[in-house]
Amino acid sequence: ILPDRGVLDDDLKAKLTSYLAQGGKILFSHEATLDEGAFALPNSPVKYVAPCPWLPSYMDLGDVLGAGQPKTEFVNYKPGSYVEPVEGATPLGEVWKPYFNRAPGQFSSHNQTPVDEPTGYPIGVLSADKTQGYLYAAVFKGYREDAFYVYKEMVARTLESLLPEPLILPKENVSAGMEIDVLRQAEQNR
């Protein structure tokens, strides 16, 4: 998982290329690996377009990311990135814009300006070979700071798409943060 921000040096890019070649899966979000206007992740399923100009923006999660959730536009209070899926990649959900960004000259009496219309940009993207998933928002920062359950659900649904048979399957009521180690014991065949 490559969360929200950070660039790749040549050594890390080579390690990720090798990891993917060995069957590894990668989930990245927002501006992770973004370098000079392009994602540096090898075979990225998305092309960077621009920062999302709306804060907050809204998210129609669609069928995959929104599995088990009410059909509504959820508020995203964190920055996002407009991206386009590369050929063969699958877009997930859609970013919606508010009527306007709140500012001293434009104000709505609610916590955020109401939702207006779709932008045409996806919330998430899965690569054609299902080895990489991308989420447009700073979901990891958002979950860490606000514990907004929708961010956790978006990550979970993306991981389910990437890892249909995971080694670890956390159940309900897991903590906001955890570290899990997997020990392989060849001599016990486990």
Side-chain angles (χ1 to χ4, degrees), residues 47-87:
K47 290 184 180 177
Y48 182 77
V49 175
C52 177
W54 309 105
L55 194 59
S57 57
Y58 290 85
M59 305 177 292
D60 176 350
L61 300 178
D63 293 335
V64 173
L65 295 177
Q69 300 302 314
K71 297 280 186 199
T72 189
E73 293 82 27
F74 291 94
V75 180
N76 170 36
Y77 291 104
K78 298 303 175 192
S81 297
Y82 282 169
V83 298
E84 293 177 345
V86 300
E87 187 173 340

Side-chain angles (χ1 to χ4, degrees), residues 2-183:
L2 305 171
D4 301 341
R5 289 185 178 229
V7 296
L8 301 178
D9 61 21
D10 291 338
D11 184 50
L12 186 52
K13 196 181 300 185
K15 288 178 181 178
L16 290 173
T17 300
S18 174
Y19 174 72
L20 287 168
Q22 295 174 42
K25 312 289 177 120
I26 295 176
L27 168 61
F28 67 115
S29 63
H30 186 40
E31 295 177 340
T33 83
L34 187 65
D35 191 13
E36 297 183 17
F39 291 110
L41 188 63
N43 302 313
S44 172
V46 292
K47 290 184 180 177
Y48 182 77
V49 175
C52 177
W54 309 105
L55 194 59
S57 57
Y58 290 85
M59 305 177 292
D60 176 350
L61 300 178
D63 293 335
V64 173
L65 295 177
Q69 300 302 314
K71 297 280 186 199
T72 189
E73 293 82 27
F74 291 94
V75 180
N76 170 36
Y77 291 104
K78 298 303 175 192
S81 297
Y82 282 169
V83 298
E84 293 177 345
V86 300
E87 187 173 340
T90 304
L92 304 173
E94 189 170 15
V95 179
W96 282 54
K97 71 181 199 80
Y99 282 97
F100 52 83
N101 278 330
R102 286 177 60 164
Q106 293 180 311
F107 180 75
S108 175
S109 63
H110 304 287
N111 286 334
Q112 68 270 341
T113 306
V115 65
D116 184 17
E117 61 187 12
T119 63
Y121 292 102
I123 291 170
V125 176
L126 288 175
S127 62
D129 61 1
K130 302 254 191 312
T131 60
Q132 296 184 44
Y134 173 81
L135 296 171
Y136 94 109
V139 293
F140 294 97
K141 178 180 182 181
Y143 190 70
R144 183 181 68 244
E145 291 179 353
D146 305 325
F148 185 31
Y149 83 97
V150 171
Y151 297 140
K152 178 179 169 181
E153 292 297 316
M154 290 166 59
V155 169
R157 299 298 80 75
T158 306
L159 288 174
E160 284 174 1
S161 297
L162 295 172
L163 303 167
E165 296 179 22
L167 290 175
I168 304 293
L169 186 59
K171 299 295 183 186
E172 294 180 23
N173 299 321
V174 297
S175 63
M178 72 172 99
E179 185 174 321
I180 299 172
D181 293 316
V182 177
L183 175 62

